[in-house]
């Protein structure tokens, strides 16, 4: 779990990359929505600002999609199906520990134990 692999990242750090990218996208979309609500997209300057934000959003979405596919391939390589499910729920879906436990019909404590084991089963790309 604490091995430094994949460019110095732990398995947890590596798998968390997609969620961090997704949160940046959400923040950008929220900012874009607020600008629209405030009427900042009006006028020439506002239109340019919104266009720049749309381009940034497109770039972030493309980056996220690529990273999510890469992480999914890494998770799919984990042999144990229960570990794979847990890792996908947490790192691709962004589910809480409570939601994962409910879905897997186990306690949160057990989910945390499985998570530690699942992280040890992850083989990061070199």
């Amino acid at each position: 779990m604490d091995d430094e692999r994949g460019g110095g990242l732990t398995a947890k750090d590596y798998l968390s990359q997609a969620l961090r990218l997704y949160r940046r996208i959400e923040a950008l979309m929220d900012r874009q929505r607020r600008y629209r609500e405030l009427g900042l997209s009006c006028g020439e300057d506002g239109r340019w600002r919104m266009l720049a934000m749309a381009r940034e959003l497109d770039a972030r979405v493309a980056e996220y999609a690529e990273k999510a596919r890469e992480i999914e391939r890494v998770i799919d390589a984990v042999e144990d199906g229960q570990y794979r499910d847990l890792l996908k729920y947490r790192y691709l879906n962004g589910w809480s520990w409570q939601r994962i436990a409910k879905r897997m019909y186990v306690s949160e404590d057990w989910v945390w134990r499985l998570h530690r084991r699942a992280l040890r089963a992850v083989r990061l790309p070199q």
Side-chain angles (χ1 to χ4, degrees), residues 55-72:
R55 286 184 180 142
E56 182 182 352
L57 185 58
D58 287 346
R60 297 268 185 201
V61 167
E63 181 183 4
Y64 166 77
E66 183 179 331
K67 184 55 71 175
R69 282 191 298 270
E70 177 185 314
I71 288 170
E72 189 165 16

Side-chain angles (χ1 to χ4, degrees), residues 55-125:
R55 286 184 180 142
E56 182 182 352
L57 185 58
D58 287 346
R60 297 268 185 201
V61 167
E63 181 183 4
Y64 166 77
E66 183 179 331
K67 184 55 71 175
R69 282 191 298 270
E70 177 185 314
I71 288 170
E72 189 165 16
R73 282 191 299 273
V74 168
I75 292 172
D76 284 341
V78 172
E79 287 186 32
D80 187 286
Q82 191 175 37
Y83 293 169
R84 279 194 311 273
D85 289 345
L86 189 154
L87 294 171
K88 285 181 181 183
Y89 295 152
R90 183 68 179 172
Y91 295 105
L92 294 175
N93 297 354
W95 288 7
S96 68
W97 297 116
Q98 184 179 25
R99 184 173 180 187
I100 295 169
K102 200 174 208 177
R103 176 63 177 261
M104 296 180 80
Y105 303 103
V106 297
S107 70
E108 277 186 65
D109 286 341
W110 187 246
V111 168
W112 295 331
R113 286 186 200 128
L114 285 175
H115 179 251
R116 281 192 299 273
R117 293 175 187 171
L119 288 177
R120 281 191 222 104
V122 169
R123 298 294 165 244
L124 299 180

